[in-house]
Amino acid sequence: MKHIVVDLEMNNIRQKSEARRICTMETIEIGAVMLDDNLQEISSFRTYVKPEYNDGIVKKISRLTGITDDMVVNAPKFNEALRMFTNWCLGTGDDVTIYAWSESDYGQISKEMILKGYEVSEQEAELLGNAWSDFQQEFDSHLGFERQLSLKMALDMAGVDFSGREHDALDDARNTAELLQIFRDEELFDKTLRKIKEYMEPTEIGNTIGSLIDFSAFACA
């Protein structure tokens, strides 16, 4: 079994485009890391993706992601880029589980495949036909948070500094993978996150510590 953690960065589709009836964003970067059975990184993947429904990268997106027009001008378009990603996933010949921080990335891929007429091969059916594992939801639910936490906040709780640049697809994927390793390792979990889980459990008066703390500043969709 191989475990793949993926992250996408996206650009706005121009306002007057008919494409916005299907989705309002399109993928401009795919980043992923492949982990072995021990959740150790054994391979990585990154490609930029040329936007098809905007003439360039929106300024606010460029500031957020660091992705510029020059970085995508010669990049593969979505259909080619997605095929590159799935070929990489399937290249091991092993079973694969894909994780993402939130369900939004799989939703984006699904809409964009419809928009751009992507034909799913028989080999890709399991990768692209089933929702990816939502690690954000699993993390929040296990620790008792009702609101979605940002990846940065989740790492802070685990005592891990974010490595690299936030909103860089490969760096986000790699940091998510590090959190996944801690989360799934009983010893590491006990050292870093067990106290938070215990604090969030119901008390005798029917409340949780979490209900008494305002986590709104940490919430992230």
Side-chain angles (χ1 to χ4, degrees):
M1 169 68 74
K2 297 297 186 295
H3 307 269
I4 291 174
V5 182
V6 64
D7 185 76
L8 308 179
E9 298 303 328
M10 291 156 279
N11 189 51
N12 298 86
I13 290 176
R14 56 180 173 267
Q15 287 292 331
K16 295 183 179 181
S17 173
E18 289 292 318
R20 292 179 70 88
R21 294 183 178 184
I22 298 176
C23 53
T24 60
M25 308 285 285
E26 60 183 331
T27 302
I28 54 171
E29 184 184 14
I30 304 172
V33 291
M34 184 180 295
L35 314 175
D36 62 17
D37 285 335
N38 297 316
L39 300 181
Q40 297 295 315
E41 182 177 333
I42 56 175
S43 183
S44 64
F45 175 92
R46 186 215 296 270
T47 183
Y48 296 108
V49 186
K50 185 175 183 177
E52 299 173 60
Y53 290 93
N54 204 321
D55 294 333
I57 307 299
V58 176
K59 288 183 179 179
K60 66 178 182 180
I61 299 296
S62 188
R63 288 195 296 269
L64 181 70
T65 65
I67 299 172
T68 65
D69 291 343
D70 288 344
M71 295 164 71
V72 299
V73 65
N74 293 317
K77 293 182 180 180
F78 175 82
N79 285 356
E80 181 183 353
L82 184 58
R83 192 82 67 191
M84 290 164 57
F85 171 67
T86 59
N87 285 342
W88 175 75
C89 293
L90 295 167
T92 64
D94 207 347
D95 291 335
V96 168
T97 299
I98 299 182
Y99 304 82
W101 187 257
S102 90
E103 62 184 2
S104 61
D105 283 350
Y106 180 77
Q108 174 65 34
I109 288 288
S110 299
K111 291 177 183 177
E112 210 164 340
M113 286 193 301
I114 294 171
L115 175 64
K116 297 176 179 178
Y118 187 85
E119 295 184 4
V120 179
S121 70
E122 184 177 341
Q123 292 77 18
E124 294 173 307
E126 189 170 347
L127 288 178
L128 301 177
N130 300 305
W132 298 339
S133 179
D134 182 353
F135 179 42
Q136 183 187 48
Q137 192 280 329
E138 183 182 356
F139 183 92
D140 292 348
S141 177
H142 189 70
L143 270 71
F145 291 103
E146 295 182 358
R147 301 187 182 190
Q148 293 178 318
L149 295 181
S150 69
L151 175 60
K152 175 77 163 54
M153 174 50 59
L155 287 164
D156 285 346
M157 287 181 173
V160 177
D161 292 331
F162 190 97
S163 178
R165 177 192 173 114
E166 290 183 71
H167 303 294
D168 173 289
L170 182 55
D171 286 346
D172 281 353
R174 190 163 274 144
N175 281 274
T176 303
E178 182 169 2
L179 185 62
L180 178 65
Q181 182 186 21
I182 293 170
F183 187 76
R184 294 289 172 82
D185 185 306
E186 186 174 350
E187 184 177 347
L188 289 174
F189 185 89
D190 284 343
K191 286 181 179 179
T192 59
L193 294 167
R194 175 68 65 188
K195 289 184 179 179
I196 295 172
K197 184 177 189 301
E198 291 172 352
Y199 288 155
M200 298 299 292
E201 289 174 347
T203 66
E204 292 182 359
I205 61 174
N207 291 320
T208 65
I209 296 297
S211 69
L212 305 177
I213 303 173
D214 181 10
F215 286 98
S216 60
F218 308 139
C220 179

